[in-house]
Amino acid sequence: HAMFTMGFMFGFTTAQSLFFFFGHISPCFAFAFIMMCGISSTLSRSNFKRSIPILIAACGITLVSVFIMPDAPIFFGILHLLGVSVLIYSFAEKLFAKINPVAGIITAFLIFLLTYNLQYGYLGFEHFLKIPLPEKLYSTGFLSFLGFVGEGTSYSDYFPLLPWGFAFLTGVFAGRLLKGRYPEFMYKKRVPFFSLLGTNAFIVYVIHQPIIYGVSYILTLLSGGI
């Protein structure tokens, strides 16, 4: 996020280079982040209540992005994905509980791989099991939340339900598999600072980008860019 903000919103060329360098492995970090949200959903007392502030923050980000980045707004970014996924899971929790967690992990992950290139017009992979999808699915923006994004449409943060919802489900089934099996030491607050971050992870996530934006703005002023 820092490299994107500094590189493409404030024009720091080094940040742009770093963004493209790490861009090759960023899907792995995104998968881990979304999967951890799925795992934590199996530990939550109320996923419905948990989804509400996430969705409110997601709507706020959309409104801000329309004004700050009108050429590439955020209509279904990672917070939209997490909020919708947690909300759906809150209603379907009993249904998922009937599925064997190992089978669930394998199935969800395979569907994630199969639908990973959905936004590019096909299922499967570029050189293996490539299944083209009807162009009509991509002709309307109403299905962009599912991954059917129109050609030429640009989003600065885009995590549709297909495939990323299945990264969340992979975490859900992993959480069910691990529930009751976590080592005892994981429940102890060993480092107060990290415990504070962990128990307020959502707040940290919401405010980190404005902080990065502010720091980038100050650096731009110091460098004489503005």
Side-chain angles (χ1 to χ4, degrees):
H1 287 169
M3 295 305 101
F4 177 85
T5 300
M6 296 177 69
F8 298 98
M9 297 180 70
F10 289 91
F12 288 96
T13 56
T14 301
Q16 292 178 12
S17 299
L18 288 171
F19 178 83
F20 288 121
F21 176 78
F22 287 109
H24 298 292
I25 58 174
S26 63
C28 298
F29 289 111
F31 185 93
F33 182 73
I34 296 167
M35 182 179 174
M36 282 190 287
C37 181
I39 292 174
S40 65
S41 294
T42 64
L43 303 172
S44 175
R45 291 188 180 92
S46 175
N47 282 297
F48 178 79
K49 291 182 179 179
R50 186 164 162 253
S51 69
I52 301 304
I54 301 176
L55 289 171
I56 292 174
C59 292
I61 288 174
T62 295
L63 291 175
V64 172
S65 70
V66 168
F67 291 100
I68 295 180
M69 301 175 292
D71 295 330
I74 301 172
F75 286 123
F76 207 85
I78 197 163
L79 278 187
H80 300 75
L81 167 75
L82 297 182
V84 171
S85 296
V86 173
L87 180 63
I88 293 174
Y89 179 67
S90 70
F91 291 108
E93 189 170 352
K94 292 183 179 179
L95 175 63
F96 289 121
K98 297 178 181 179
I99 302 173
N100 179 279
V102 175
I105 292 172
I106 294 172
T107 303
F109 185 66
L110 288 177
I111 295 177
F112 171 82
L113 293 177
L114 183 66
T115 58
Y116 186 75
N117 291 306
L118 186 79
Q119 61 179 300
Y120 303 113
Y122 63 92
L123 296 174
F125 311 94
E126 179 67 31
H127 302 292
F128 173 73
L129 197 66
K130 185 175 182 179
I131 305 172
L133 295 171
E135 293 183 4
K136 288 184 178 180
L137 293 173
Y138 300 86
S139 61
T140 173
F142 295 112
L143 296 178
S144 61
F145 73 98
L146 287 175
F148 301 104
V149 59
E151 186 178 353
T153 304
S154 179
Y155 299 122
S156 55
D157 184 33
Y158 184 52
F159 285 86
L161 287 172
L162 296 173
W164 296 103
F166 286 95
F168 175 86
L169 283 181
T170 302
V172 165
F173 290 117
R176 286 192 53 233
L177 184 65
L178 294 169
K179 198 168 186 178
R181 301 179 183 179
Y182 296 103
E184 186 65 27
F185 75 87
M186 294 182 68
Y187 295 93
K188 298 179 181 179
K189 295 183 178 180
R190 296 182 178 272
V191 183
F193 175 71
F194 290 136
S195 296
L196 180 67
L197 292 181
T199 53
N200 296 280
F202 175 67
I203 296 175
V204 172
Y205 186 87
V206 170
I207 67 173
H208 87 281
Q209 187 66 357
I211 291 174
I212 291 172
Y213 188 92
V215 171
S216 300
Y217 182 77
I218 292 172
L219 290 175
T220 305
L221 290 177
L222 294 174
S223 65
I226 293 181

